[in-house]
Amino acid sequence: GESASSSSDSSDSSTDGELMSNEEIIKKAAADGKVGNWGLGNEYEILALLQKYDLPTKYLSEDFTMDGFDQDNITLASAMTYNELGLVKNDYDGGYKYGDTVGTIDMNDEGVAMLEDNIFCTKEFAKQNPNTVKAFLYASMKGWKYAVENPEEAAQIVFDAGSSVSSDHQLYMAKEVAKLVTTDTKGNTVDNYGNMDEEAMQQTLDLCKKYVQLDDSSASSKLEGFTLDDIRDTQYIDEANKSTDGKFGNLEKTDVTIQLKWLPQAQFMGYYVAQAKGYYEEVGLKVTITPGGGDISETTAVSNGTVDFGVTWVANLTSANAGGMELLEIAQVYQRSGLELVYKKDLFTK
Amino acid sequence: MIRKRKSIWRRFKENKAVQTVSSVLLPVLFGVLILALWQGQVLHKLFNTDTNTLPLPSRICRIIIDNIPTFAVNALYTVIVAVVGLLVGSIIGYLIAVFAATFQKWGKGGITIVGAFNAIPIVALAPVMTNWTKDISNDPNIRSMFAKTLVVMIVCIASMSINAFRGLTELKPFALDLMKSYAAKKSTVFFKLRLPNSIPYVFTALRVSVPISIISAVVSEYFAEYITGVGREIRENIVLGQYPTAWAYIVVACIIGLVMYGVLMLVESIVLKNRRIK
Amino acid sequence: MSLNDNAIIKNDVEIAINNVSVVFKDNQGNDVKALDNIDFDIHKGEFISLLGPSGCGKTTLLRTIADLLEPTSGNVRVSNMTPKEIRLMQKFGIVFQNPVLFEWRTVKKNIELPLEIMGYSKKDRSDRADEMLEMVGLTKFADHYPQQLSGGMQQRVGIARAFGIRPEILLMDEPFSALDEFTKEKLHLDLLKIWEKTNKTIVFVTHNIQEAVFLSTRICVLSPHPGRLSAVVDADLPYPRTIDMRDTAHFGELVSKVRNSFEGGSL
Amino acid sequence: MSLNDNAIIKNDVEIAINNVSVVFKDNQGNDVKALDNIDFDIHKGEFISLLGPSGCGKTTLLRTIADLLEPTSGNVRVSNMTPKEIRLMQKFGIVFQNPVLFEWRTVKKNIELPLEIMGYSKKDRSDRADEMLEMVGLTKFADHYPQQLSGGMQQRVGIARAFGIRPEILLMDEPFSALDEFTKEKLHLDLLKIWEKTNKTIVFVTHNIQEAVFLSTRICVLSPHPGRLSAVVDADLPYPRTIDMRDTAHFGELVSKVRNSFEGGSL
Amino acid sequence: MMKTLTKIKNSKALVTLVWVLGILVIWEIFAFVVQATKRTPENIMPHIWQIAYSFIDPKPVSSGMTCFQVVIYNAGQTLSRAGQGFFIGMIIGFALAILMKLSRIVEKIAAPYLMLIQLIPILGMAPIILAMTHDIGSSRIIIAAILTFYPVATNTLAGLNSVEKQKYELMYSYAAKQSTVYFKMLIPSCIPYFFTGLKIAAPMAITASILVDTLQGDGGLGCMLSQSLKHAMSIYVFWDIVVFSAVIGVLSCSLMGWIENLVSPLKRIERKTRKKKGAA
Ligand SMILES: Nc1ncnc2c1ncn2[C@@H]1O[C@H](COP(=O)(O)OP(=O)(O)OP(=O)(O)O)[C@@H](O)[C@H]1O
Ligand SMILES: Nc1ncnc2c1ncn2[C@@H]1O[C@H](COP(=O)(O)OP(=O)(O)OP(=O)(O)O)[C@@H](O)[C@H]1O
Ligand SMILES: [Mg+2]
Ligand SMILES: [Mg+2]
């Protein structure tokens, strides 16, 4: 409590100065070498942004906490709207309690947005189990729809399913995730969940080609030649969205597993809701949800058959395919980028 | 006749030059064999894996050759962390052992406590060290290097102190009596008896520490603020599904390890030369 | 235990062993009495032999004098000080029953070890070591490592090392038992010569009656289980002693006397 | 080197040492000739002593016979086989110069070790070990660990261990040098008794002339640097030998003879 | 009175206690500094009492479980994997040492490669092991074993190589079979070294097991640790796990010492003699 009040004091005292523009903020932070990101395939939007302002594409590594930001080692830090940003602002357990003393820069507004959470499997799996894939997508999207409409309940479901996140943060996250699922990069509302917006997909792929640096020459030339058809197939989600009853004929496989990209939290509430509400059962599937965030990445796990489906970001899927995997995106759950850069206002006043 | 031939074989086997050559040649030959099985995808059948998860040596080589400057820079940082951490950690570990051997009543407890460091996982140690060293320098590279080196150091301390303590205290019967009879000062007993007696044990510790130092350097790079090093590249590439590149870096880590191990063996054979006479 | 005072000219006590007992525990936890109430004085400049059967406590007694073992009861005084004080003044030279050589040092370096500790200059150390090597007949083996020597040669290195420091009090635990007649004979004479010249006090453990009679001024005979002082015999052969004294009748008498004190006292 | 054949009744050669030379390298890489062209036959049932000054190659020769060392040139034959074959038939019993006990085994367990290896039953092992402990006078110390024994006691354990296996050929390297007169005397007689009863071949290394003369049928005198066979002396005292033989004139003559062969041959 | 006092003064427990206290004091000094200078001190260096309190804090931190419950619940999984990995690693390490002793050629070939295996990060190794076993649980155990066998192997081999030549000669003179030489001489005499290896390996097994927990996010101390680090739950879960693993590590090390005393007669004698000295 003490420290929070002291920091808001300092922001009060600095309100007399005028806040810098986004461009100025980015340039100042870059000049100090204090732009932060986690790396590991999360950095391309930041690289694109730096490039946009003709800045050297260097950043510091964030360690999945906001301690570096808190201690001013990083002044312009990457944060997902639904997760880190909530921790920075809010004062529940684990929060840094900055409230409105921090500002953000949105990747969607800057025009460097890349698409994040999707659903994918291997090309071979999709080909051999088309009905299973469609049924899975149908039930999952039904879950997402319910979750987006009832974020409180969804948050509770995820929390009960063994989430590691506090229930306060869970609820915050559910509400923020709902925005990402129902709004596209330009701010328009989306109602056909899981849709693969051509333009946004293409922008993502183009940014990938530009910023994904691969040492492996055969992989990088493969990446160079990719078109959207090499990484996604829209037929499954289209048919799933067309269906009214979720019946797609004989299911080739009924026991399936999905590995998440991260720890169990509201970021993935759609699957937990579909599970809890029995949507998967309704279409005849028995689904196991495996948390991610471990050393065996979702692309690896799907590729080597440990699990059937996975949730990953488009950029990760693209580079994995360039590296030699045969993965296929079958639905795009998040319609806009959830990445923002957060800064303390008092550090960027004129 | 048979006897004679056997003794020639034995003489051949016991010849010093033959032994030196064979101790290099045999592992190399074995390595070549493994490489052949690997390239011929026999290993893949054995491990039931594919050429993506376990990329072929030819591809790994290509990647290394194509990117020598990048690899060299990353390797350099990792080597610095591993070697400095290993040396400083081993020296501290040895000093702890010296302390423990000098004040045995208190020291034994200390050794146990030091052993506890062994039980703190690197994955926990690395972020803590990164946190603790935030104020060391304004340059994120320097403070990251410091944090990484600290991790390697801590990990190396334990194995050295446990082994060196044994070397410093398990003396030949009556050796201590002999020194006592000269009223040798503790420092003299240390330098003339305990220290030389502990040398073989130090090398045992180092044999264990060399791989540990490299793997800790690699893992601590995962958590470091400043992005560089073989470990970080391994992680980045694995997450991106770039197994061939990741394996290229793994191979680099192995080469670093082999070189360090080779240097260690060389030093050991020189230092312990006179003890090997039987 | 009465002393045969008339045999000894000098009367100042150098080492006083006062009612010393040493008890070890065996691994069932039972007491093993290694020394039982030993009470005995050694005078300055004496050459005392401790004689007794294997396991009777000779080594134990020597170690008590050298402050390598604390008696369970009783005490030892050396020049009216504690053995510890004397040890700290670096006045003891000890030859151990096994040679205890450092395998990482050459023969010569092993001999130089105590000299290094006592702070002799490099040249002095080397000269002294060469002299000692000469004495024990190992000059040719100066640069060998202990592992390269025969058992007797190793023992001789141990002897050279102890002699090298020219100690005030020389404690020797069966130093010559691994040596052949000739080497032994030579070293006997060397030892006596050094002793006569310097008038140091020597405590010499042996199980060889002839050796004890030939070398010492007095012989303490110990009996085993528990280790008791069963007799003290004056070896009153004239000095300087010569090899042919061993063929004299008096020598034979002394040997018999010691042997009898043995048989009567302990076996 | 001519053999004094008339002294030996049995004439079948048990151990033939044919032109054996052993060369070691010192740490400068120079050759050290430990044995130089030793040529000598040992007959079945003989008690041979190898006598010589420290470092003359006694241990080395014994090791060559026992197949612990291959001669640089020449060879050894035992019962017309190679030493290796004999060793594999477990016909050797060896007493080493240092006792070489396993510190994690009790005294009794140490004595039982070779019996275990040779597959004796538990009861047999225990009985045999008790008998041997009795012989060397260590019954009370059966359950002690080697570190708890005095030097001489450790050596006696080594002797008990070698005797326990009742070997065809007994090779002993200065077994008694760490022992006192009485223990030694007792073991001398025990050894002779066993030898006379079983008629085994014994090769006995010693540096003690009296001991060699008292025990053996023949004495091989070695001279050092390089190790050469300088004399072979028949110790033709009658059997069974008794302690008082040592006071006879013939005994004295033999001792002098050996001593002279020494001085003439090597010193 | 005096006697009991000296007894307490000489006791091992006191020594350990003083050490622990000393370390705690140093920690606290730094904790106060951190407290004074940092905004979120609990992320960097919380006070001892804060950590201690978190163990008994009834407030749930994750899925209705308190800090302590989270640690204990997940420790079960991790420790059982550590135990299995350690056991397998111990056997492999010992067997490898014997094998290397049996053949110089094997030693020459194997020694550098055994070390090389240690150098392959889990990240690279895990997918291959996983492809072999198709089971994340057994993959974890295997990797934990791989990470633990090396100190056992090196130390045991050092022990096997330290046997004096004369002992070999003794066995040789009995024409003892190779197996006899091993069972009666080499193995008993390498036991102290073997235990040194175990003492290093036991805490390493726990570390390794925590490390392999993170292969997948499905539970175990490692997962909780990394989740807590990522602020997915109270940071005290992290501190509690660090403390817990260190304590378990020390205990595992002492357990090895205890077992050593149990199996090795030499240690027993030493202990007895020491006791006797203490009494005298
Ligand atoms: N491993 C070795 N390397 C070099 N020289 C050796 C080695 N072993 C023995 N020698 C040399 O061989 C010679 C004979 O040694 P050996 O042990 O046979 O003597 P010995 O007659 O048994 O003496 P002692 O009575 O003192 O035991 C010695 O000069 C010794 O230095
Ligand atoms: N550490 C020990 N633990 C238990 N008993 C011991 C220990 N050291 C010596 N003893 C016992 O003390 C007695 C005397 O031993 P000591 O070594 O003094 O004999 P010694 O007269 O030197 O014999 P030797 O001539 O054989 O060397 C022996 O019975 C021995 O068993
Ligand atoms: Mg003794
Ligand atoms: Mg010898």
Side-chain angles (χ1 to χ4, degrees), chain D residues 63 67 87 90 116 145, chain E residues 167 169 172 174-175 184 269:
Chain D
R63 287 162 52 80
D67 187 37
R87 179 175 62 76
Q90 305 184 315
E116 282 175 28
Y145 285 89
Chain E
K167 287 190 176 142
E169 292 185 342
Y172 191 75
Y174 297 142
K184 299 229 182 274
I269 306 180

Side-chain angles (χ1 to χ4, degrees), chain B residues 277-278, chain C residues 141 144 147-154 156 178-180, chain D residues 24-26 32-34 52-61 97 173-174 205 207 222 225, chain E residues 165:
Chain B
I277 301 167
K278 278 276 159 74
Chain C
F141 294 89
H144 280 58
Q147 309 88 290
Q148 297 174 302
L149 300 186
S150 77
M153 290 155 96
Q154 291 184 10
R156 280 185 273 163
L179 301 181
D180 61 287
Chain D
F24 289 110
K25 284 244 184 296
D26 71 7
V32 177
K33 214 159 199 178
S54 167
C56 72
K58 306 182 291 294
T59 300
T60 307
L61 183 55
Q97 196 164 359
D173 195 355
E174 310 194 15
V205 169
H207 49 66
L222 295 176
H225 308 305
Chain E
K165 194 178 162 205

Side-chain angles (χ1 to χ4, degrees), chain D residues 63 67-68 87-88 90 94 96 98 100-105 113-114 116-117 145 147-148 161, chain E residues 164-177 180 184-186 188-189 265-266 268-269:
Chain D
R63 287 162 52 80
D67 187 37
L68 296 174
R87 179 175 62 76
L88 292 180
Q90 305 184 315
I94 306 182
F96 290 88
N98 323 330
V100 201
L101 303 176
F102 288 5
E103 60 271 19
W104 58 88
R105 282 173 169 254
L113 173 77
E116 282 175 28
I117 294 173
Y145 285 89
Q147 308 87 294
Q148 298 174 301
R161 184 177 57 193
Chain E
E164 304 102 299
K165 194 178 162 205
Q166 286 190 317
K167 287 190 176 142
Y168 277 101
E169 292 185 342
L170 182 73
M171 295 306 272
Y172 191 75
S173 76
Y174 297 142
K177 288 195 303 277
T180 316
K184 299 229 182 274
M185 181 181 81
L186 285 171
S189 57
L266 281 178
R268 274 205 301 275
I269 306 180

Side-chain angles (χ1 to χ4, degrees), chain B residues 172 177 182-183 192 274, chain C residues 63 87 90 101 104 116 145:
Chain B
K172 267 217 300 212
D177 284 350
Y182 300 141
K192 304 246 182 254
N274 290 328
Chain C
R63 287 166 55 80
R87 179 172 64 74
Q90 306 184 315
L101 303 176
W104 54 85
E116 283 174 27
Y145 284 88

Side-chain angles (χ1 to χ4, degrees), chain A residues 3-4 6-7 63-67 70-71 87 93-94 96-98 159-160 162-166 169 259 262-265 290-296 300-301 304-307 344, chain E residues 38-44 59-64 122-123 126-128 130-131 134-136 211-219 223-224 226-235:
Chain A
S3 41
S6 75
S7 91
D63 57 1
F64 300 101
T65 77
M66 297 307 277
D67 290 351
D70 186 45
Q71 291 162 39
L87 290 174
D93 196 16
Y96 293 85
K97 312 169 182 128
Y98 280 97
F159 189 73
D160 291 343
S163 159
S164 45
V165 177
S166 74
H169 187 46
Q259 176 163 333
W262 200 242
L263 314 172
Q265 56 184 14
T290 306
D295 289 335
I296 300 206
T300 303
N304 72 16
T306 314
V307 296
K344 295 178 187 169
Chain E
K38 300 287 176 182
R39 245 179 60 83
T40 48
E42 71 272 14
N43 290 357
I44 299 163
K59 203 178 82 180
V61 294
S62 165
S63 339
I122 300 181
L123 284 174
I128 297 173
L130 190 60
H134 280 292
D135 174 38
I136 187 80
L211 207 61
V212 295
D213 281 342
T214 63
L215 284 184
Q216 226 174 44
D218 57 352
C223 286
M224 295 305 123
S226 71
Q227 293 189 14
S228 168
L229 262 183
K230 291 163 186 169
H231 285 218
M233 62 175 76
S234 163
I235 190 66

